[in-house]
Amino acid sequence: MSSPQENDITMATPQAKVEAETPVPVPAVSTPEITDTPTATETAEATESTESAAKRMRPKIEKEDTSSYIGQKRSKVRGNIRGADKYKGKRTDGWAAGTRNAEDAAKAAALASGEITAEQTSTADNDEEKEARIPKRKVALLMGYCGTGYQGMQVNPGAKTIEGDLFKAMVEAGAVSKDNADDIKKVSMMRSARTDKGVHAAGNVVSLKMIVDMDDVIGKINAALPEQIRLFGYVRTLNSFNAKVLCDSRVYEYLLPTYVFLPRPPMAEPLASTQEETSTTIRTDLPGGSMAWDENVHISTPEEMVAKRSYRIDEATLAKVREGFAAYVGTKNFHNFTIGKNFKEKTCQRFMMSFTVSDPKMIQGTEWLSLKVHGQSFMLHQIRKMVSLIVMLVRTDTPLKLIPETFKANKINIPKAPSLGLLLERPVFDTYNRKVKDSHSPLDFTPYSETMEAFKAKYIYEGIIKEELEFNRFDEFLQILDGHAHKYNLRYLNSEGIIPEEAIIKRGDTLVAESDAESDASS
């Protein structure tokens, strides 16, 4: 479309057109002499004219329609404009420490000052080159370990842990690259079940990204591990596999000598409240490794222990033990079987699939029972407190009808049994195995069952039996309970099978510390 000005010209008369084309006389103006060098005044005027032109143009740039840009592109355009306006082509600050430009500048300065030579610069560059990248694969490691001497499974700065030794061995064997050797999170390591101080595992699963393209990777890792930690093998998994999240359930075993079910000797009447607060007398002749530091705690003599170890559980008592552990099966509120939880917290609801008790078995002159509990998940101290309650009920002849009362709102104190007998049997991945049955191998310990049993017998069972025979751990646990029965507030152990008012823990109540500071497996 023509502009209005063009229309006016087109519609003008011929006479007007002639007048418009007639040249207008211009008055004569004297021309100044042209010199090669501009004067100072002319230079200043030219500079001012250039800057004015630039300022007139800038609003046009800043007002540029950027509505077609989105996200970072639009921000980048505006940022460039503002950056150019700020720096005007010059960097006003130094390069950030640790950047490539800063390193290059430092090397150039050192080279110019003669501090280093060109050859040294080249050598340093070669040393900084990273090792060749080797592909990592997501795998599940199938392993077992004896927890004696370790502060638990999970990595904990400053503590000796199973994961810590495993990770160091993998780096040494080349299964984890040096680039990732400084942080376990770089390989996404995760365990299916966490075991705490002194707790063993006949089978556990650890998921991570590992270098597997090497000969006998499992053998090389085992060679760098202590004998009480063994890898049985590995399975390639989905890249999204997480051993903790995808674990359906866990099976734990607890080894228990049957003499713990011997009837408790007659107890003295509870002390008066004023007497309960008297100071404890510390034993000066404490045997090595013993925890019975209070003189109120009886230490069994060798002759007494011989008599206790000669005990053989009868059918009636064994039936009561089995009935007691079966009462845990199902979904229950286990708030009384952990610490720091109250009845209303949903996390206290746990599902136990089974709790079985084996037939008695003789090992080195002592009769043992193997308890196996299969649960979806467990809380801190839960298994050890479950075992402790049944032991206390049977040896005090307290009716088993007390067990359902522990799942109710009333809070009571249940001491935890020794960690010595507890071990993780295996984690279960049935749901994952069904999902990947057509693409990946299942997570199953069956192919390694013989190796696992041999490892368990040598490094776990043998260690448990040895420590029990040397230190009488389970007898000591019972003697500590009996010596401090009034402080533990165990008045729920009675012939009626009820929880009396004085046995209920109220807000602000304090109880004696438990027999040891060790903690249970939790998941």
Side-chain angles (χ1 to χ4, degrees):
M1 179 181 295
S2 302
S3 65
Q5 185 179 0
E6 291 175 339
N7 290 337
D8 291 344
I9 294 174
T10 303
M11 296 174 62
T13 61
Q15 184 179 355
K17 184 176 181 180
V18 172
E19 292 176 355
E21 293 176 351
T22 303
V24 179
V26 179
V29 180
S30 59
T31 304
E33 184 180 357
I34 299 176
T35 61
D36 294 337
T37 304
T39 64
T41 303
E42 291 172 337
T43 302
E45 291 176 353
T47 302
E48 182 180 357
S49 176
T50 302
E51 291 180 352
S52 299
K55 289 181 180 179
R56 287 195 301 271
M57 292 300 295
R58 187 170 295 124
K60 294 182 180 180
I61 298 176
E62 292 177 343
K63 294 179 182 179
E64 178 185 357
D65 183 13
T66 59
S67 60
S68 60
Y69 299 135
I70 58 175
Q72 292 183 345
K73 187 172 182 180
R74 183 172 184 177
S75 300
K76 185 175 181 180
V77 171
R78 291 179 175 176
N80 287 344
I81 295 171
R82 292 166 185 164
D85 186 45
K86 178 180 179 181
Y87 294 111
K88 297 182 179 179
K90 296 182 180 179
R91 186 179 182 88
T92 59
D93 56 344
W95 295 108
T99 63
R100 184 66 179 177
N101 289 323
E103 294 173 359
D104 290 345
K107 289 179 182 178
L111 186 62
S113 63
E115 295 180 7
I116 60 173
T117 63
E119 294 181 358
Q120 290 174 328
T121 304
S122 178
T123 303
D125 290 338
N126 292 334
D127 291 341
E128 291 175 0
E129 290 183 3
K130 294 184 177 181
E131 62 180 349
R133 293 180 61 87
I134 304 176
K136 299 186 295 289
R137 308 298 180 194
K138 196 63 175 286
V139 302
L141 292 177
L142 282 66
M143 66 180 300
Y145 51 85
C146 172
T148 302
Y150 284 89
Q151 298 297 313
M153 171 68 176
Q154 189 173 359
V155 165
N156 187 11
K160 182 179 176 62
T161 64
I162 301 294
E163 275 187 353
D165 278 9
L166 174 61
F167 187 68
K168 286 189 291 186
M170 296 181 70
V171 172
E172 183 178 336
V176 172
S177 66
K178 294 180 180 179
D179 292 337
N180 296 328
D182 59 335
D183 189 356
I184 199 170
K185 295 179 181 178
K186 290 183 178 181
V187 295
S188 305
M189 182 177 282
M190 182 61 65
R191 84 293 315 166
S192 63
R194 188 192 71 206
T195 56
D196 287 342
K197 180 181 177 181
V199 179
H200 321 291
N204 203 349
V205 171
V206 173
S207 60
L208 77 160
K209 293 179 287 186
M210 185 179 80
I211 298 171
V212 297
D213 297 332
M214 64 173 66
D215 295 334
D216 192 20
V217 61
I218 295 298
K220 291 180 179 178
I221 298 174
N222 278 332
L225 283 169
E227 291 187 350
Q228 67 186 91
I229 304 176
R230 289 293 93 178
L231 298 185
F232 305 127
Y234 75 89
V235 177
R236 287 284 304 275
T237 66
L238 296 175
N239 289 334
S240 60
F241 178 75
N242 182 303
K244 180 180 179 180
V245 174
L246 296 179
C247 181
D248 295 325
S249 57
R250 298 149 180 95
V251 179
Y252 282 89
E253 182 178 11
Y254 195 97
L255 290 184
L256 192 67
T258 60
Y259 73 75
V260 299
F261 297 112
L262 278 167
R264 184 181 69 175
M267 300 292 294
E269 290 297 321
L271 298 173
S273 59
T274 55
Q275 292 176 299
E276 289 181 355
E277 298 176 359
T278 58
S279 60
T280 299
T281 303
I282 303 299
R283 190 188 302 275
T284 57
D285 58 341
L286 188 66
S290 175
M291 293 178 289
W293 43 264
D294 186 357
E295 284 192 353
N296 292 324
V297 175
H298 172 70
I299 298 179
S300 298
T301 64
E303 293 76 19
E304 288 173 333
M305 286 309 304
V306 169
K308 292 178 180 180
R309 295 189 187 283
S310 65
Y311 171 76
R312 304 294 178 261
I313 193 168
D314 58 75
E315 289 296 330
T317 304
L318 182 59
K320 186 174 182 179
V321 170
R322 285 172 171 162
E323 182 183 354
F325 283 111
Y328 293 128
V329 177
T331 301
K332 314 289 184 183
N333 190 315
F334 288 97
H335 74 103
N336 274 316
F337 296 84
T338 187
I339 57 174
K341 299 285 185 179
N342 63 62
F343 176 75
K344 295 182 179 180
E345 294 186 46
K346 293 183 179 180
T347 56
C348 294
Q349 296 283 341
R350 300 294 166 126
F351 177 48
M352 301 297 113
M353 302 174 187
S354 65
F355 210 136
T356 61
V357 180
S358 71
D359 291 332
K361 182 179 181 181
M362 290 294 300
I363 305 176
Q364 298 187 31
T366 302
E367 187 178 62
W368 294 78
L369 295 177
S370 172
L371 317 175
K372 289 192 178 182
V373 55
H374 185 185
Q376 192 173 46
S377 60
F378 299 89
M379 292 185 292
L380 185 67
H381 303 329
Q382 181 180 338
I383 298 173
R384 291 167 63 186
K385 286 177 176 282
M386 292 164 76
V387 172
S388 176
L389 181 64
I390 302 302
V391 169
M392 292 190 299
L393 295 183
V394 173
R395 72 190 296 262
T396 60
D397 201 25
T398 300
L400 297 181
K401 68 178 183 179
L402 179 78
I403 300 174
E405 297 299 315
T406 65
F407 305 138
K408 297 180 181 179
N410 287 333
K411 189 73 174 177
I412 62 174
N413 180 39
I414 302 177
K416 58 182 182 288
S419 64
L420 177 64
L422 182 62
L423 64 138
L424 173 65
E425 177 74 13
R426 69 184 185 281
V428 180
F429 296 88
D430 288 342
T431 302
Y432 172 80
N433 289 341
R434 287 194 296 268
K435 179 180 179 180
V436 302
K437 63 179 181 179
D438 296 329
S439 59
H440 290 74
S441 300
L443 282 175
D444 186 10
F445 284 93
T446 303
Y448 310 102
S449 57
E450 292 185 6
T451 305
M452 287 179 60
E453 288 299 322
F455 175 81
K456 183 166 63 173
K458 181 177 181 180
Y459 292 99
I460 299 179
Y461 286 171
E462 188 175 303
I464 292 174
I465 304 301
K466 180 180 179 181
E467 185 169 348
E468 162 58 21
L469 293 176
E470 184 176 355
F471 298 106
N472 304 320
R473 291 297 190 207
F474 289 93
D475 179 69
E476 190 173 68
F477 161 68
L478 297 177
Q479 296 297 339
I480 292 174
L481 289 185
D482 294 344
H484 295 285
H486 60 288
K487 293 184 179 180
Y488 277 114
N489 197 1
L490 304 179
R491 294 179 176 87
Y492 55 82
L493 301 176
N494 53 64
S495 58
E496 292 81 19
I498 61 173
I499 300 177
E501 184 67 24
E502 57 268 23
I504 298 175
I505 300 175
K506 301 176 179 61
R507 186 182 296 275
D509 287 352
T510 57
L511 297 171
V512 69
E514 296 194 30
S515 60
D516 63 90
E518 297 170 3
S519 52
D520 186 19
S522 60
S523 307

